[in-house]
């Protein structure tokens, strides 16, 4: 079964009930969630309300992280999965420094929602990496001119909080990044249960869609 909801959707009672009904018919059931943004909060709250456990119907999400789970009772959600390029729980010196730096900044600036419980997540790491790569490209180009910086971005590398050295593809400007799969823990953090050995080379076109094999590996930004 497939269900679609608009951005900002908040009533997931019927959808979760349909998932329960589907699984109760004896079908082995899992859920792939591509819900984005704030809608994750009511979705996961309803999963907990209706008692859908990961041991019965595992949910794997592509866009739920530490920040979205902040306002949710995660005890009933233990074991559900998320796929990201970074988790706050990753253990390495670069991430430890990243978390420490963000925690100090959040408290010093009294940031709403962050001062008491500063959290990092994948979108924050991606932004952090992007800004640093841009700065490196500016230094290489010795200019902030857009076209010169774009050219200098090709092949940029940066040691990310994920613990891996990320690289911007010289041809298509996508990042080569690792993949982590994490299980939700009772404290709202994630236990990494699987990860790639290293960054995955960026593919701008999915090889699983017919016709994409004929598309060229070209830069996204063109004149």
């Amino acid at each position: 079964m497939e269900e679609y909801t608009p951005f900002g959707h908040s009533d997931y009672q019927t959808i979760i009930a349909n998932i329960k009904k589907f699984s109760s018919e004896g079908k082995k059931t899992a859920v792939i969630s591509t819900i984005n943004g704030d809608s994750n909060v009511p979705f996961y709250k309803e999963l907990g309300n209706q008692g859908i456990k990961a041991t019965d119907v595992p949910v794997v999400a592509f866009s739920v992280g530490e920040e979205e789970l902040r306002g949710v009772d995660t005890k009933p959600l233990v074991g559900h999965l998320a796929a990201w390029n970074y988790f706050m729980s990753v253990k390495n010196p670069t991430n430890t420094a990243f978390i420490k730096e963000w925690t100090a900044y959040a408290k010093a600036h009294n940031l709403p929602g962050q001062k008491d419980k500063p959290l990092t997540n994948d979108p924050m790491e991606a932004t952090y990496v992007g800004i640093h790569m841009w700065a490196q490209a500016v230094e290489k180009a010795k200019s902030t001119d857009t076209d010169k910086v774009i050219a200098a971005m090709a092949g940029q590398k940066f040691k990310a909080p994920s613990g891996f050295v990320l690289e911007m593809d010289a041809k298509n400007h996508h990042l080569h990044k690792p993949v982590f799969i994490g299980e939700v823990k009772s404290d709202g953090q994630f236990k990494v249960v699987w990860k790639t050995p290293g960054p995955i080379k960026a593919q701008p076109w999915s090889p699983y869609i017919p016709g994409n094999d004929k598309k060229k590996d070209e830069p996204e930004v063109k004149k």
Side-chain angles (χ1 to χ4, degrees):
M1 57 184 283
E2 245 178 319
E3 296 279 355
Y4 294 92
T5 58
F7 287 113
H9 188 76
S10 60
D11 184 1
Y12 283 95
Q13 286 187 339
T14 301
I15 290 176
I16 301 299
N18 288 341
I19 292 171
K20 285 188 71 175
K21 181 181 177 182
F22 185 90
S23 63
S24 68
E25 294 172 355
K27 300 181 178 74
K28 289 185 177 180
T29 307
V31 176
I32 297 176
S33 171
T34 57
I35 296 170
N36 278 292
D38 293 343
S39 289
N40 275 297
V41 174
F43 173 76
Y44 278 92
K45 280 184 177 179
E46 194 58 36
L47 277 181
N49 291 342
Q50 296 200 33
I52 292 189
K53 297 181 180 179
T55 50
D56 301 320
V57 182
V59 176
V60 58
F62 295 148
S63 191
V64 68
E66 296 85 350
E67 187 61 40
E68 288 80 12
L69 295 180
R70 180 194 290 275
V72 180
D73 179 9
T74 50
K75 293 180 182 65
L77 305 177
V78 169
H80 288 302
L81 302 164
W84 283 110
N85 308 116
Y86 164 86
F87 287 111
M88 184 176 179
S89 59
V90 172
K91 303 296 183 185
N92 66 70
T94 307
N95 192 36
T96 298
F98 177 59
I99 294 170
K100 184 178 180 180
E101 187 178 3
W102 170 247
T103 299
Y105 181 89
K107 290 183 177 180
H109 291 79
N110 202 29
L111 298 184
Q114 288 282 347
K115 60 180 180 178
D116 298 322
K117 187 182 178 182
L119 294 176
T120 59
N121 59 21
D122 182 283
M124 287 175 63
E125 195 228 23
T127 303
Y128 179 78
V129 170
I131 290 172
H132 278 277
M133 279 194 172
W134 176 85
Q136 290 175 180
V138 168
E139 290 177 356
K140 180 180 178 181
K142 294 182 173 56
S143 171
T144 56
D145 177 78
T146 301
D147 290 336
K148 291 179 180 178
V149 173
I150 288 172
M153 285 291 279
Q156 285 291 341
K157 295 180 180 180
F158 185 75
K159 181 69 174 290
S162 66
F164 293 88
V165 175
L166 308 189
E167 180 179 353
M168 179 167 286
D169 195 280
K171 292 182 178 179
N172 59 46
H173 282 199
H174 286 267
L175 283 181
H176 301 179
K177 303 183 81 174
V179 175
F180 297 89
I181 295 178
E183 284 184 352
V184 177
K185 294 168 57 180
S186 60
D187 61 358
Q189 289 290 318
F190 289 84
K191 175 187 175 183
V192 176
V193 295
W194 183 88
K195 65 180 180 180
T196 54
I200 297 174
K201 184 178 179 180
Q203 289 180 291
W205 308 107
S206 172
Y208 302 103
I209 299 176
N212 274 357
D213 58 332
K214 297 181 177 61
K215 292 181 178 179
K216 294 181 179 180
D217 189 22
E218 296 177 345
E220 284 193 323
V221 182
K222 304 176 185 177
K223 283 190 177 181

